[in-house]
Amino acid sequence: MTPIGNTRDELWRALLAGESGVAKVTAFDVEAAGLRSQIAAEVKNFEPDALLGRREARRMDRYAQFANVAAREALADAAFPTDQTLRDRTGVIVATGIGGIITMQDTVSKAREMKTASRISPFFVPMLMGNAAPAQISMREKFRGPMFAVSSACASSNDAIGIAYDAIARGDALAMVTGGCEATITDVAMGGFDSMKALSTRNDEPTKASRPFDRERDGFVLAEGGAILILEEMEGAKARGARIYAELLGYGQSADAYDLVAVDPTGSGVELALQRAFDSSGITAKDVDYVNAHGTSTPIGDPAESQALGRVLGVDGHAFAVSSTKSMHGHTLGAAGAIEGVATALAVYHGILPPTINYEFPDPECTLDYVPNVARRADVGVALSNSFGFGGHNAVVVFGKYRD
């Protein structure tokens, strides 16, 4: 569920076409809100009542609706067995950076308007909980393995994927449903980022606002969405003839220990996460063909990541490609790693690199190959997906080409 496509196939087509999902905000009256940034990347043509059933949809915050719809598509695509023995050993770990903020904001506003808290919906707490999404998926599908939410800002989904990987590696589960979801396009949530001057104010050219690594970038574009991946123990997946898009080889995590919101401009935390990802997966820098970058289109974050990648991966002139799909779908916060993980796995599977659109003016501080503006065919043996978040969270997931 993304601003450029509500299914895996729609997303992939839009990524290869270099389409932008950024436009003027429609979720609320952005002009009346008085925000400097009036643009965002919203999920379009989303009909939760039709997709989930009216009763079920009305008991979910929008962020959880995204996860539940995505989970249904992922499970169907995986032709996941109905055997309860397997489902007893299948877990659900779904990330969100913020959770049910739409429910929270709407409920508080109504309570203040009515000057009473006595009429708050009994579904208020279950809808705003950050763990609602994995719980709902678990209950509907009867998955009885490890089940919880992960929240580490914009690194949340990559952390969820890594923890799910560990659960299978340890033998705690045979399969895991994992990913992330976020829905924060409200006046209050967007206003918080706007007051920090973190958002692009290219209001007159919304589709050109998200421009990672470009010299004219001026901030990120807030987005919403969700994505779910099915991780499965290799032998079990092969035995039942599952379609395997990629192998999850490992992951690495680190902390900047620098600032609550500011990026460490030295990129040292990123370097640690990259090295730990190599150690976990058994690869070397020279094995990496492609990186789906965190690349949010911010003045400080982009060069810090780019330079760290250059130092770690560019050993002995090693050539590799980097792109930021946020240039098209915006920054989905806690869902970023999941959506970009799907894009990375599909890049490995199809042998095509999605581009970084809006790359027009090279920045002397960002000097890598960013797959500018046009998708490119490439044999991708190993790919990384980077996610970094407020609080100094760094998480790198390693995908490898499946070779039977």
Side-chain angles (χ1 to χ4, degrees):
M1 301 298 306
T2 78
I4 56 172
N6 293 358
T7 67
R8 178 205 62 230
D9 290 342
E10 288 178 8
L11 169 66
W12 186 238
R13 183 202 62 77
L15 287 174
L16 298 190
E19 296 180 3
S20 172
V22 183
K24 186 171 182 177
V25 171
T26 65
F28 61 93
D29 188 339
V30 70
E31 291 184 4
L35 302 183
R36 286 183 292 266
S37 178
Q38 299 185 358
I39 55 177
E42 298 171 283
V43 171
K44 304 159 187 69
N45 304 314
F46 179 52
E47 299 179 1
D49 287 5
L51 294 166
L52 295 167
R54 186 175 185 275
R55 183 172 181 270
E56 189 173 359
R58 296 298 168 87
R59 296 182 178 185
M60 295 182 190
D61 187 272
R62 186 173 173 88
Y63 92 97
Q65 291 172 348
F66 291 153
N68 277 266
V69 172
R72 290 186 178 190
E73 181 190 8
L75 290 164
D77 183 66
F80 202 79
T82 58
D83 173 52
Q84 191 57 48
T85 301
L86 174 59
R87 291 187 174 225
D88 283 347
R89 297 197 62 192
T90 297
V92 187
I93 301 177
V94 178
T96 182
I98 296 177
I101 193 169
I102 295 175
T103 296
M104 173 68 82
Q105 184 175 326
D106 288 350
T107 302
V108 170
S109 295
K110 290 174 183 176
R112 294 289 183 266
E113 182 181 330
M114 295 186 295
K115 298 182 180 180
T116 179
S118 64
R119 294 173 61 185
I120 289 176
S121 167
F123 299 108
F124 169 56
V125 172
M127 288 175 68
L128 70 87
M129 298 188 311
N131 65 311
Q136 288 153 345
I137 295 168
S138 171
M139 288 185 292
R140 185 183 65 247
E141 301 293 342
K142 305 302 179 187
F143 292 140
R144 293 161 60 89
M147 187 277 291
F148 52 91
V150 173
S151 183
S152 48
C154 305
S156 297
S157 284
N158 268 10
D159 283 337
I161 293 168
I163 295 167
Y165 167 93
D166 277 343
I168 296 174
R170 286 195 308 266
D172 293 344
L174 293 176
M176 295 294 295
V177 178
T178 190
C181 48
E182 202 82 89
T184 61
I185 302 177
T186 75
D187 53 352
V188 171
M190 190 166 173
F193 288 112
D194 193 65
S195 68
M196 298 169 66
K197 299 183 180 180
L199 302 178
S200 172
T201 57
R202 196 182 286 260
N203 299 321
D204 55 340
E205 295 182 298
T207 60
K208 292 187 176 182
S210 185
R211 43 197 316 116
F213 307 112
D214 183 89
R215 190 184 66 218
E216 301 300 313
R217 65 191 181 277
D218 70 330
F220 75 83
V221 174
L222 187 63
E224 63 179 0
I228 296 293
L229 302 90
I230 309 300
L231 309 188
E232 194 168 352
E233 185 273 328
M234 177 66 80
E235 294 308 314
K238 289 170 61 176
R240 69 181 186 82
R243 176 163 51 178
I244 300 172
Y245 290 97
E247 288 189 54
L248 185 56
L249 301 179
Y251 72 103
Q253 298 167 307
S254 74
D256 279 349
Y258 176 76
D259 189 271
L260 194 59
V261 295
V263 173
D264 180 352
T266 70
S268 62
V270 173
E271 292 186 47
L272 280 175
L274 288 166
Q275 191 56 59
R276 289 166 183 170
F278 298 162
D279 294 342
S280 169
S281 59
I283 66 167
T284 68
K286 291 184 178 180
D287 294 321
V288 177
D289 301 303
Y290 169 64
V291 181
N292 188 303
H294 184 59
T296 57
S297 187
T298 57
I300 297 176
D302 287 8
E305 179 181 15
S306 182
Q307 291 166 23
L309 287 171
R311 289 193 298 269
V312 175
L313 299 183
V315 292
D316 299 327
H318 171 61
F320 60 98
V322 179
S323 68
S324 174
T325 54
K326 287 185 181 73
S327 60
M328 294 172 272
H329 55 66
H331 190 2
T332 55
L333 307 181
I339 293 171
E340 292 155 28
V342 169
T344 305
L346 290 173
V348 171
Y349 184 70
H350 292 292
I352 307 176
L353 307 181
T356 304
I357 69 167
N358 299 323
Y359 187 78
E360 299 176 297
F361 305 103
D363 184 338
E365 293 189 293
C366 303
T367 58
L368 303 178
D369 171 8
Y370 302 113
V371 194
N373 303 310
V374 180
R376 178 192 306 167
R377 290 199 171 274
D379 182 17
V380 187
V382 174
L384 309 180
S385 179
N386 290 350
S387 286
F388 317 128
F390 281 4
H393 305 279
N394 304 305
V396 177
V397 176
V398 184
F399 293 89
K401 192 174 190 66
Y402 170 64
R403 305 182 192 277
D404 192 0

